[in-house]
Structure formats: structure tokens, C-alpha cells
Amino acid sequence: MALERTLILAKPDAVQRRLIGRIVSRIEDKGLSIVGMKMLQVTPDLSRQHYAEHVSKSFYPELEAFITSGPVVAMVVEGPEAITVMRTLMGKTNARESAPGTIRGDLGASRQMNLIHGSDGPDAAKNEIATYFKENELVSAPGILTSVLWAKEEE
Ligand code: IDP
Ligand code: MG
């Protein structure tokens, strides 16, 4: 087990649909810590960097148009195994197939407009956090509650 950080985006559909608060609540309800947060506009350059693995795919032009279509809210989320915990909380990529109880499963019905991004592994998390945030934009969040949220050995 490890204390991890992961990059989360509330995507343009979530912002336009006034779902930022619901998504933040789901993360906070889970007991994870938000250690950085800002609203920004993804540019085509940033999209190509963020979605480098998808740039050559047929759906990339639509994905770029979508992710640059309006502001996103970027967050860095911290907790034990935060990368996997967030992927589970988000649900499957295709929101039509995401289980009820997940963010995508409860709030969406699209494969593309699936509300939320979360890093898919430790390397991606490291790169994506560095892409969206400067070190001094992140707080260290030991917080007074961590002792009742998880055990020391889970960090
Ligand atoms: P993920 O967001 O669950 O990690 P990825 O496969 O990495 O899913 O895809 C990145 C994003 O690209 C998805 O979240 C979705 O918005 C979009 N996407 C994925 N597959 C398709 C597709 O087949 N058609 C259109 N958009 C897609
Ligand atoms: Mg992905």
C-alpha cells in the first residue's frame, strides 16, 4: 500500500452541467484529500500532451474538440492507493457501462462525455500532475483527520 497522488479533471461536460460540486463531494465523501485545485481551459497543445497515447486514434479529433470546449476543474487527490480508488470511484470509460454507484455510472450516459478524468497509473499520475500543477500550487495535507480516515500502515 502507498499514499498516492492522482490527477483528476472534472471535464467540460461536468462543468457545463453544474456537476463540479457533486463530483468534489464524491471525492470528499470517500475520505480522500484534495491537495490542489484550479479551473482552467485546456488548449489543443495541452490536450495533445495529456492525451498523447490517443493522438493517433480515430476518435482523437472529437476528443480534443470536447476537452477544449470549455473550462475544466483540475484537482490533485491524495490518499492510500488514490489512483486505483479514484478509477474505481469513476467507473468504466463508457458511462453507459459504468456501474451504478460510480460517478460516471450515476451521472452520465456517454463514452466520450464521461465527466471525469483520472490518471491510470503511477507514471501517468506523476506526469499529469506535473503538467497541470506547479509544486507550489499543491499543499501537503496530513490534516487532523487522517488518523480516523486510514491507518498509518496503509500509507
Ligand atoms: P479513461 O478516461 O477512462 O482513462 P481512455 O481510454 O484513456 O479512458 O480515453 C480517454 C478519453 O477519451 C475518455 O475518457 C473519453 O472521454 C474519450 N474516449 C475514449 N474512447 C473513446 C471512443 O471510442 N470514442 C470517443 N471518445 C472516446
Ligand atoms: Mg485514460
Side-chain angles (χ1 to χ4, degrees):
M1 279 171 283
L3 196 66
E4 292 177 340
R5 287 181 168 188
T6 184
L7 189 276
I8 300 298
L9 299 179
K11 291 181 174 180
D13 52 338
V15 176
Q16 295 299 331
R17 290 177 55 198
R18 278 67 170 147
L19 293 173
I20 300 168
R22 303 265 294 272
I23 288 173
V24 169
S25 287
R26 299 293 295 260
I27 296 168
E28 292 191 323
D29 286 349
K30 189 69 181 165
L32 299 174
S33 308
I34 296 172
V35 299
M37 183 184 251
K38 62 180 162 189
M39 182 174 264
L40 68 135
Q41 177 76 41
V42 176
T43 61
D45 274 353
L46 178 54
S47 174
R48 279 190 292 274
Q49 186 179 344
H50 179 134
Y51 285 125
E53 63 173 317
H54 298 309
V55 166
S56 58
K57 295 187 183 159
S58 58
F59 65 80
Y60 180 76
E62 276 180 45
L63 173 58
E64 183 183 295
F66 164 54
I67 203 70
T68 62
S69 66
V72 301
V73 175
M75 287 167 260
V76 176
V77 171
E78 182 180 270
E81 298 182 77
I83 298 167
T84 313
V85 170
M86 278 307 307
R87 294 287 296 189
T88 304
L89 195 60
M90 287 159 52
K92 283 189 182 180
T93 301
N94 184 340
R96 288 190 291 279
E97 297 170 359
S98 305
T102 65
I103 292 169
R104 287 167 168 170
D106 285 348
L107 300 176
S110 164
R111 182 175 58 183
Q112 180 174 276
M113 290 158 197
N114 57 7
L115 301 153
I116 182 166
H117 166 83
S119 308
D120 66 6
D123 291 344
K126 191 164 179 282
N127 290 336
E128 292 173 4
I129 290 168
T131 297
Y132 282 86
F133 287 90
K134 301 190 188 84
E135 192 54 48
N136 67 6
E137 292 175 316
L138 303 176
V139 298
S140 51
I144 54 171
L145 280 182
T146 45
S147 63
V148 291
L149 287 168
W150 55 74
K152 206 74 194 152
E153 54 148 14
E154 293 174 278
E155 291 192 346

